[in-house]
Amino acid sequence: MLCLALAGGCGTRQSGGPQVNTPALIVSGDDASPLTRTEMAALKSTGQIDRNLPAEAMPDVARQYKYFLRKGRNTMSVFSKRAELYLAYSRKVFRSRGMPEELAYLAIVESGYKPDAKSPAGAAGAWQFMPYTGMKYGLNQDWWMDERLDPYKATEAAADYLQKLYGDFRDWPTAIAAYNAGEGKMSRAKEGTGGRNFFEVKARNHVLDSKAQLREETKQYVPRFLAVTKIMRNLPQLGFEPIHPDKAPGVLRFTVRPGTDLLAFSRACGLSWEEFSAYNQHHKRPVSSTERSCFVYVPARYERQATAFLRSPQANAYANWRPARVTTSADSWEKISRRCNVPVAQLQAANPGKHKLVAGATVLVPRAANMSATAVAALDAHNAGRGQSHEPRKARLKPGNARTAPLHGIAVAASRSHKLQPDETLYAVARKYKVSLRELQECNQIDNPDKVRAGCLLRIPGRAVASGEPAAGSSGGRVGKAGAARQTTYTVQHKDSLWNIARKHNVSVDDLKRWNKVDEKSLRAGTTLVVNLD
């Protein structure tokens, strides 16, 4: 567990075109009101990036500047106040790399520092990374999370990207324009116009064909950034509410192990799930990725509670779980509970909002859970053979106690046959002859019941062998005296795991461990395992 204190891509038009999910900021007309002396002084203020701007750049900068002072004043107020939470850390990131600190204001232009901002084109986060560029700069996007929505990690990725662009163009305004338009587009525009920097390319943009030209969005992007930078340097003088990034509430970054129970984490810190999620919008699930360690953020005042929880055994309650696809709508949480011996309540807590399972959905389940349609059908057939309903009554199924015993082997005496009729199902045939669906499938070597067609001649098996009861006409095989468990052996192959061995034999991982005194670390190819089939 690593804890890092944090002070409290761009709309990334990497593929070109507008993508910011914020008010349109391109100024279409000049405000007739003149700038005051104070406003003019702020406009003339300079930093590392807006020093020595060419004279031809200033009209567009002034127009954007006046927009945010007049018509867009409320927008500027909201954006600057939201930025207060992140600016100290963003400035620190850029400063530590020898880059201009005012680059931290670029996220204001991108999203107004909104961590969960999303654009119609697919850009996301405060720094508006597109999916490919985000992945390229270390922002994971998968079933578990979208790290573009992590404002701190995304800032680090943006610094990496901007540093790369500066290395390509050797000029900050040009690098910033490339952050918006895409490095390829900017390079081609520079080559096609012969311009040495963004401002020269912009002045000669008309010589390019329509496809190669910089969009109006990009042409105004750099002036907009420069205008926002000048305002952010002079907020109180310009009548805006001052911000104090260095005094913003502290946030702690924890590196948590795979499968951390985030819902329990929030409770341990005394936070509601909504409050916790506001700091961790990059997490899509109430459980952290079971595939890798990741970042989680909590207010600094909860450091003691957070540290104590992450050191406790309950922190990693889901370490051995995995995302799996529901293969049939006949499945349910009750059936999964019976197959993996995990309470229904715990399964549903890990999958909020998914009360009824549908085929094709992805859910979080223990690694030992067999999610195949065959496993579901076998459980249904087993229940039907015992006179149970497909959905056990709640009085019969208590979370934590329900467990499905592995189904027994089948002894077949195929003295009968049945021709499948139109609209007749295998399940109906199984019920007619009082055998289980699994018995019928195994007798006829049917892997997929849905592919059996009318007219098929089915062999009807003899009665199933109960535990310890030999089949009629058999010598007993591996079954000995009454009540004796049937066993088989399995030789471990290269790349085998306890989970896939258990799945092959329809037993649990815990049983395999208990029967053989083995775990994943001690499992070796060539080892012979005992498997109890009853």
Side-chain angles (χ1 to χ4, degrees):
M1 176 190 71
L2 173 65
C3 170
L4 173 66
L6 304 171
C10 174
T12 296
R13 256 68 78 191
Q14 296 101 336
S15 60
Q19 301 185 19
V20 177
N21 194 20
T22 54
L25 300 180
I26 297 176
V27 182
S28 57
D30 290 328
D31 189 316
S33 59
L35 294 174
T36 66
R37 182 177 300 177
T38 300
E39 291 170 341
M40 184 62 72
L43 177 62
K44 291 181 178 180
S45 68
T46 60
Q48 194 171 343
I49 295 178
D50 57 352
R51 187 178 298 133
N52 301 320
L53 290 178
E56 60 269 23
M58 289 310 297
D60 280 340
V61 174
R63 288 171 63 240
Q64 294 285 347
Y65 177 78
K66 289 181 73 174
Y67 170 81
F68 284 113
L69 291 182
R70 307 287 195 269
K71 187 176 180 181
R73 188 175 188 85
N74 184 61
T75 297
M76 190 71 228
S77 295
V78 172
F79 286 3
S80 61
K81 195 63 182 174
R82 189 186 294 144
E84 182 177 34
L85 297 173
Y86 309 105
L87 279 176
Y89 184 72
S90 296
R91 288 169 177 166
K92 179 182 177 181
V93 168
F94 290 113
R95 184 170 61 247
S96 68
R97 301 170 188 229
M99 301 166 73
E101 287 186 34
E102 56 256 50
L103 288 169
Y105 302 136
L106 196 59
I108 295 178
V109 178
E110 283 296 323
S111 68
Y113 260 110
K114 195 168 187 286
D116 61 345
K118 295 181 180 178
S119 79
W127 290 90
Q128 288 287 282
F129 274 98
M130 291 293 283
Y132 172 77
T133 308
M135 291 293 291
K136 183 177 178 180
Y137 287 91
L139 301 177
N140 291 307
Q141 301 147 59
D142 54 25
W143 188 79
W144 295 101
M145 66 180 71
D146 184 345
E147 290 184 322
R148 296 177 298 168
L149 307 186
D150 177 341
Y152 303 104
K153 191 169 182 180
T155 296
E156 296 158 12
D160 288 340
Y161 187 30
L162 285 164
Q163 197 165 34
K164 188 265 183 192
L165 293 173
Y166 182 77
D168 290 345
F169 297 104
R170 310 307 304 172
D171 172 78
W172 279 118
T174 310
I176 291 167
Y179 188 87
N180 177 266
E183 55 210 91
K185 177 108 176 181
M186 196 67 215
S187 293
R188 291 188 293 273
K190 190 176 176 184
E191 182 180 352
T193 61
R196 293 169 298 177
N197 56 48
F198 164 74
F199 296 109
E200 291 186 4
V201 171
K202 179 174 177 288
R204 305 172 190 175
N205 195 48
H206 63 280
V207 306
L208 300 171
D209 62 45
S210 59
K211 186 176 180 180
Q213 285 182 354
L214 297 181
R215 297 171 183 262
E216 188 65 24
E217 164 72 16
T218 301
K219 288 162 61 179
Q220 292 299 324
Y221 184 80
V222 175
R224 186 182 311 144
F225 164 73
L226 296 173
V228 166
T229 298
K230 292 174 182 295
I231 293 173
M232 291 298 293
R233 278 198 299 256
N234 298 277
L235 285 174
Q237 296 92 321
L238 295 172
F240 290 96
E241 182 181 351
I243 63 172
H244 305 283
D246 294 329
K247 296 181 181 180
V251 176
L252 293 178
R253 171 192 278 174
F254 289 89
T255 300
V256 300
R257 293 189 293 271
T260 296
D261 187 340
L262 300 182
L263 191 58
F265 193 4
S266 68
R267 291 169 180 161
C269 294
L271 295 168
S272 69
W273 179 245
E274 290 71 23
E275 291 170 325
F276 184 86
S277 295
Y279 290 95
N280 297 281
Q281 297 187 61
H282 53 297
H283 285 283
K284 299 178 182 179
R285 316 288 167 195
V287 176
S288 75
S289 171
T290 59
E291 299 165 12
R292 67 178 75 89
S293 297
C294 55
F295 294 147
V296 172
Y297 303 91
V298 297
R301 63 184 179 276
Y302 298 118
E303 179 178 9
R304 180 180 58 81
Q305 296 94 318
T307 301
F309 172 78
L310 293 175
R311 287 175 177 170
S312 67
Q314 64 264 36
N316 304 110
Y318 297 98
N320 291 317
W321 290 44
R322 66 185 174 103
R325 191 173 66 88
V326 178
T327 56
T328 170
S329 295
D331 210 350
S332 67
W333 290 123
E334 287 78 10
K335 293 176 184 178
I336 296 174
S337 173
R338 290 173 65 83
R339 298 201 300 276
C340 65
N341 196 31
V342 168
V344 171
Q346 187 177 1
L347 290 166
Q348 291 182 324
N351 297 275
K354 294 186 176 179
H355 303 295
K356 180 176 175 58
L357 301 186
V358 295
T362 299
V363 294
L364 184 61
V365 295
R367 290 189 185 277
N370 186 341
M371 297 294 290
S372 69
T374 302
V376 178
L379 178 58
D380 285 346
H382 183 59
N383 290 340
R386 296 173 58 185
Q388 296 180 4
S389 63
H390 292 292
E391 295 294 331
R393 293 190 300 270
K394 291 185 178 180
R396 195 178 295 152
L397 179 66
K398 296 182 179 179
N401 296 327
R403 181 183 181 90
T404 301
L407 300 181
H408 308 316
I410 306 300
V412 177
S415 58
R416 293 175 291 177
S417 63
H418 176 90
K419 187 175 182 179
L420 194 64
Q421 302 301 309
D423 300 325
E424 190 177 43
T425 65
L426 285 183
Y427 180 70
V429 175
R431 292 199 65 176
K432 178 177 180 179
Y433 292 98
K434 298 183 179 180
V435 296
S436 73
L437 179 61
R438 178 175 175 179
E439 292 169 352
L440 189 61
Q441 284 183 244
E442 290 189 356
C443 180
N444 292 276
Q445 298 183 339
I446 296 171
D447 292 326
N448 188 347
D450 296 331
K451 293 186 177 180
V452 180
R453 297 292 179 261
C456 175
L457 193 63
L458 300 173
R459 295 190 303 164
I460 306 302
R463 63 190 183 88
V465 179
S467 177
E469 180 185 344
S474 76
S475 62
R478 287 189 299 255
V479 181
K481 56 188 178 181
R486 296 188 308 110
Q487 291 185 343
T488 187
T489 59
Y490 177 80
T491 302
V492 179
Q493 306 299 309
H494 182 58
K495 293 187 177 181
D496 262 347
S497 67
L498 287 178
W499 177 76
N500 62 36
I501 295 171
R503 185 174 180 179
K504 287 177 184 176
H505 294 87
N506 197 25
V507 297
S508 73
V509 172
D510 288 340
D511 283 340
L512 276 180
K513 290 180 179 179
R514 179 167 51 82
W515 295 331
N516 296 278
K517 308 299 182 186
V518 68
D519 57 27
E520 290 288 1
K521 292 183 179 179
S522 61
L523 191 67
R524 298 288 184 271
T527 301
T528 299
L529 301 180
V530 172
V531 180
N532 290 326
L533 299 179
D534 286 350

